[in-house]
Amino acid sequence: MDFSAEWLNNLLCSMDKNCDSCLFESCANLHYQVNGMDNILEKYVGNLPAFISCLEKEWGWKITYNEDGSQLLVDENKDFCVCPITQNVQGKVSGMLCNCSEKFAEQMFSKVCQKKTVAKVKRSILRDGKSCIYEISI
């Protein structure tokens, strides 16, 4: 593992012991802005079923939801971590980084639903080696 990767992993492990996930809001916001997510999501604002259909067809995600649609279970359905940080860092990275993805998911679903949503990582590649699953509360 190179120095930068080891430094990042050390920081994340320290944060895992001493901080909460709210520290990742600004990092997730940067990722959201750099990818132009507001423009990408604009056509789905107010149309959650169309957004879910897009995620399933174009991104390969599997999504289930309760009867009233207030809670979604979103499975990225991948056997690898899609985070650009992990793709650029060789070696194991702390699962604390998943809190950034959690905040990114909140931003996406909040934009589409036009109200505050809460995302919670239920499972992840970095934490237990299985496909990343988020619980989204609307």
Side-chain angles (χ1 to χ4, degrees):
M1 187 183 308
D2 73 2
F3 173 75
S4 296
E6 194 168 329
W7 185 92
L8 174 63
N9 199 45
N10 188 38
L11 173 66
L12 291 169
C13 287
S14 295
M15 288 173 65
D16 195 21
K17 295 174 188 167
N18 300 302
C19 304
D20 66 19
S21 65
C22 71
L23 295 173
F24 285 96
E25 284 185 50
S26 64
C27 296
N29 189 43
L30 175 66
H31 185 195
Y32 184 93
Q33 289 176 5
V34 166
N35 284 317
M37 293 306 294
D38 273 341
N39 292 334
I40 292 168
L41 298 174
E42 191 60 40
K43 62 185 167 189
Y44 303 109
V45 170
N47 192 348
L48 182 60
F51 181 54
I52 290 172
S53 179
C54 169
L55 293 174
E56 291 176 331
K57 290 178 185 170
E58 294 182 29
W59 294 10
W61 290 12
K62 294 181 179 180
I63 301 173
T64 56
Y65 43 91
N66 64 359
E67 205 170 289
D68 67 1
S70 65
Q71 196 154 35
L72 307 165
L73 203 57
V74 178
D75 183 346
E76 287 187 356
N77 193 32
K78 308 276 187 291
D79 62 356
F80 60 93
C81 179
V82 301
C83 174
I85 300 297
T86 62
Q87 293 173 9
N88 290 306
V89 175
Q90 300 301 316
K92 185 165 174 57
V93 176
S94 168
M96 182 70 170
L97 189 58
C98 300
N99 292 323
C100 184
S101 297
E102 188 176 86
K103 298 301 180 188
F104 186 85
E106 280 182 8
Q107 286 186 285
M108 286 195 318
F109 282 92
S110 291
K111 170 74 175 178
V112 169
C113 295
Q114 291 295 279
K115 60 179 161 180
K116 175 78 174 135
T117 65
V118 176
K120 177 77 175 148
V121 175
K122 301 303 278 182
R123 188 175 82 187
S124 78
I125 296 290
L126 295 181
R127 293 179 183 174
D128 63 11
K130 298 178 182 174
S131 179
C132 301
I133 295 179
Y134 307 90
E135 183 179 82
I136 311 291
S137 299
I138 302 171

